[in-house]
Amino acid sequence: MKHHCKIMLSLALGLMAVASCTQVGNNNNKPKNDTMSQLHKQAFSQAKAVFYALPSPVETATTLEHLGIKFTDKFLHKTSDVDKYNTTAAEAVNLGVYTADLSFCALYEQNQAAIEYLATVKKLSEQLGISGFFNDSTIQTFRENINNKNKIVSSISESYTQSTNYLDEQERAEIASTVIVGGWVESLHLTLNMLKEVDLSANESEINDIMLNQQFTLEDLIGMLDLFNGDKNIDALEKKLLALQSEFDKIHGEITQEHIDNLIVSVTEIRNNFIQ
C-alpha cells in the first residue's frame, strides 16, 4: 500500500507540474482566474490518489491492540472542549482528532466513552456540513450493537471514509486533508504515548514496523498538503508536519526510547496547537 501510495503521489506531483507549465504557457489566452481554477481542480483530482490510500485512525488503533497494549483515557482529547471550535479549520482538524479518539475507545470496547466521542464527532460534522455520515442513525447503530465491537469499528471506519470522500467530491479537499491530518496526528500522539508502556526489546520488530509506517504516512501527508500550496491553513499544517519529519529523520536503525520520547515532544506540541 505504501509503495503504491508513493507512486501515486509522485505521479500527482508530476502532473501538477505539467499542468502548471501548460497553464502558464497559455496565460496570454486565458484570464488569470481561469488558470488558477484549472490548477485548483487539478489539485483536487490528484489529491484523491493520495488520501484514499492513507490509513484511518481505526487501522492505527488496531495495530496497537494487536501488540496487547492496554487502553488508557489519559491521552484522549476532552469532549467538553468541542464548543471552543468555531472556525472551519479548527472544526476540521479537531474532527480528525476526535475521530481518532473515538476509534481507540471503540476498539478497546470503552462503550460509554465511545458514544460520547461519537456525539462530539457528530456535532463537528454538522458544523462542517457532512452530518449525513456521523448522525443519529450512526449513534443508534452503536447502541444496538454495543457488544459487537467489529460492527461498531466497521461503522466508524466507513463513516470516516465516506465523510472525507464526500468532502473531496464536493471540491472541499483542503478540509478533507485537514481532517485526515488531525486524525493522524492524534493517532500518532496516542501511539507514541502507549508505546511507552511496551518493552521495546521484546517487541522490536513490531515497533520498528509501526514507526516506519508512520514515517511513510507522514511523507505522504506532506506531499498531499503540498498539492494545496498557497492556502494559508494548509501551509501552516504542512510547516508543522515538516518539523515533525525532521525528528523522524534522526532515527537511524532501530527505534530507541529516546527516539520515542523526542517524537512525543514534537507531536504533542503540534497536537496542543490543534486542540487549544
Side-chain angles (χ1 to χ4, degrees):
M1 176 183 291
K2 291 301 175 187
H3 181 63
H4 173 70
C5 189
K6 286 180 178 297
I7 291 174
M8 295 304 295
L9 179 58
S10 297
L11 288 173
L13 293 173
L15 287 171
M16 280 294 291
V18 172
S20 177
C21 291
T22 301
Q23 295 294 341
V24 171
N26 295 332
N27 199 41
N28 291 332
N29 300 319
K30 293 184 179 182
K32 183 176 181 180
N33 287 344
D34 287 348
T35 300
M36 294 310 297
S37 176
Q38 289 301 315
L39 289 174
H40 208 55
K41 288 179 180 178
Q42 186 70 37
F44 282 129
S45 175
Q46 301 308 324
K48 293 179 187 178
V50 183
F51 70 67
Y52 282 5
L54 293 171
S56 73
V58 169
E59 292 176 270
T60 305
T62 301
T63 301
L64 289 180
E65 188 203 30
H66 287 166
L67 269 179
I69 299 175
K70 294 182 179 179
F71 176 83
T72 176
D73 64 0
K74 65 181 179 179
F75 302 117
L76 302 179
H77 183 26
K78 296 182 295 185
T79 57
S80 58
D81 282 352
V82 67
D83 291 327
K84 296 194 305 184
Y85 311 121
N86 52 21
T87 67
T88 298
E91 290 164 356
V93 77
N94 281 285
L95 174 58
V97 169
Y98 281 123
T99 301
D101 291 339
L102 167 61
S103 301
F104 274 78
C105 289
L107 196 67
Y108 279 93
E109 300 181 86
Q110 305 297 308
N111 299 327
Q112 187 54 49
I115 290 173
E116 292 176 9
Y117 276 95
L118 180 57
T120 302
V121 165
K122 174 179 176 289
K123 181 171 185 175
L124 286 177
S125 297
E126 289 173 345
Q127 292 172 203
L128 286 168
I130 51 174
S131 57
F133 305 105
F134 290 102
N135 51 28
D136 291 335
S137 175
T138 313
I139 294 177
Q140 185 62 29
T141 298
F142 257 61
R143 296 187 185 281
E144 292 174 353
N145 297 276
I146 199 69
N147 295 316
N148 186 340
K149 180 177 72 174
N150 291 335
K151 178 71 174 178
I152 290 176
V153 170
S154 175
S155 177
I156 295 171
S157 186
E158 181 180 358
S159 295
Y160 178 81
T161 301
Q162 288 180 346
S163 63
T164 51
N165 288 357
Y166 174 80
L167 283 166
D168 174 59
E169 295 297 338
Q170 296 299 309
E171 296 197 348
R172 299 172 70 191
E174 295 104 323
I175 299 176
S177 300
T178 303
V179 173
I180 291 170
V181 169
W184 180 78
V185 166
E186 180 72 351
S187 295
L188 181 61
H189 164 74
L190 294 170
T191 297
L192 291 169
N193 280 286
M194 294 173 80
L195 282 178
K196 290 180 70 174
E197 309 301 321
V198 176
D199 183 345
L200 294 183
S201 59
N203 299 276
E204 186 176 291
S205 177
E206 292 88 346
I207 292 174
N208 276 301
D209 284 346
I210 289 172
M211 299 312 297
L212 184 61
N213 283 333
Q214 296 288 355
Q215 187 169 13
F216 284 157
T217 301
L218 175 57
E219 293 172 5
D220 294 338
L221 284 170
I222 291 171
M224 177 181 70
L225 295 181
D226 199 49
L227 293 171
F228 304 103
N229 184 37
D231 181 290
K232 66 177 183 179
N233 292 319
I234 294 294
D235 289 347
L237 283 179
E238 185 173 0
K239 184 177 180 180
K240 291 179 176 64
L241 295 190
L242 285 169
L244 181 59
Q245 186 181 49
S246 67
E247 199 61 52
F248 268 103
D249 289 343
K250 295 176 184 178
I251 301 174
H252 302 288
E254 302 301 326
I255 189 91
T256 67
Q257 189 60 56
E258 182 180 4
H259 289 142
I260 290 177
D261 290 342
N262 290 338
L263 285 169
I264 286 175
V265 172
S266 295
V267 79
T268 298
E269 182 178 350
I270 296 173
R271 190 244 190 189
N272 286 347
N273 180 267
F274 287 171
I275 67 174
Q276 66 182 6

